[in-house]
Amino acid sequence: IPPLDRCHCNKIINVIHFTCGPGSGKGTQCEKVVAKYGFTHLSSGDLLRAEVSSGSERGKQLAAIMEKGELVPLDTVLDMIKEAMIAKADTSKGFLIDGYPREVRQGEEFEKKIGAPSLLLYIDAKAETMVKRLMKRGETSGRTDDNEETIKKRLDLYYKATEPVIAFYEGRGIVRKIDSEGSVDQVFSQVAKAIDSLK
Ligand SMILES: Nc1nc2c(ncn2[C@@H]2O[C@H](COP(=O)(O)OP(=O)(O)OP(=O)(O)O)[C@@H](O)[C@H]2O)c(=O)[nH]1
Ligand SMILES: Nc1ccn([C@@H]2O[C@H](COP(=O)(O)OP(=O)(O)O)[C@@H](O)[C@H]2O)c(=O)n1
Ligand SMILES: [Mg+2]
């Protein structure tokens, strides 16, 4: 992949990271953000699942890691995000990057290779809520990681690796914390307020 040149960087406005626990409702909220603001939604999990579906050798390796609820190698996810951003850089109004960064190092590398985010949205959900939603989703999602054992591992990893990401960006004053316990629309009104504060 070519490096993002200056021209591209200038066009990459409004990089919003959506970093929350598994099952906190990122995917659901991102759809609503796209409908209202027209941002480009990039879900790191979806990009990885697309690679798995392609049946490639790399996809097979990724599937094994994701089934265990572990993190795939940092460069793999970042390259996929960057590739997708370059493809849209000329026309996008902004990027909503869902499920990334998952660990502080992913955030640091993103800034080195792409740029600094303008906002980090964080949906604060209780572990109990996340587990309940994922178990329910697992009845129909077909996701191999929506099972009790892997959900537990994803949650453990979230508390260990991802929560520190929030503290890292809090130091920069770009974190907006959102309470997940209401309805989808109640959560969205908080999300929209945070995005509107960017203008
Ligand atoms: N009650 C309630 N349920 C929600 C809300 N948002 C999402 N859900 C449900 O919770 C489940 C998980 O939501 P997703 O949007 O798929 O969660 P996610 O954060 O993208 O999860 P991962 O893909 O595992 O990262 C879905 O089955 C939703 O229907 C909400 O605000 N309130
Ligand atoms: N930045 C990322 C995003 C996802 N992943 C992997 O992809 C899986 C699914 O990610 P996801 O964002 O769709 O789902 P949740 O784990 O948040 O429920 C994770 O459990 C990780 O194995 C990763 O390694 N690094
Ligand atoms: Mg999701």
Side-chain angles (χ1 to χ4, degrees), residues 22-157:
S24 54
K26 300 183 291 290
T28 305
Q29 293 299 321
C30 284
E31 265 179 46
K32 294 180 77 75
V33 171
V34 170
K36 177 161 182 179
Y37 297 92
F39 291 165
T40 308
H41 173 211
L42 299 176
S43 157
S44 47
D46 288 350
L47 290 169
L48 292 168
R49 281 186 286 278
E51 182 73 29
V52 171
S53 305
S54 77
S56 68
E57 204 42 54
R58 181 162 79 161
K60 283 180 195 138
Q61 289 163 10
L62 294 175
I65 298 170
M66 291 166 74
E67 262 165 47
K68 286 189 276 182
E70 292 167 5
L71 291 180
V72 310
L74 187 149
D75 290 337
T76 309
V77 206
L78 190 54
D79 284 351
M80 283 178 178
I81 292 175
K82 191 167 151 183
E83 211 169 329
M85 287 179 83
I86 289 173
K88 293 278 168 75
D90 291 333
T91 51
S92 183
K93 291 184 191 160
F95 290 92
L96 187 59
I97 303 178
D98 155 9
Y100 191 96
R102 281 291 227 281
E103 54 182 346
V104 171
R105 220 155 60 81
Q106 286 190 359
E108 290 169 342
E109 287 302 309
F110 184 95
E111 296 200 13
K112 271 192 216 148
K113 293 194 176 160
I114 298 170
S118 4
L119 182 70
L120 186 131
L121 289 171
Y122 159 54
I123 304 185
D124 187 20
K126 287 188 287 201
E128 191 196 323
T129 305
M130 295 191 260
V131 172
K132 210 165 67 193
R133 289 182 186 172
L134 290 173
M135 290 301 289
K136 178 102 185 57
R137 186 178 72 181
E139 291 167 11
T140 53
S141 70
R143 275 180 54 168
T144 54
D145 58 352
D146 279 347
N147 64 74
E148 202 169 350
E149 198 191 329
T150 310
I151 290 169
K152 191 181 171 301
K153 288 199 197 139
R154 282 152 70 198
L155 268 184
D156 285 347
L157 191 61

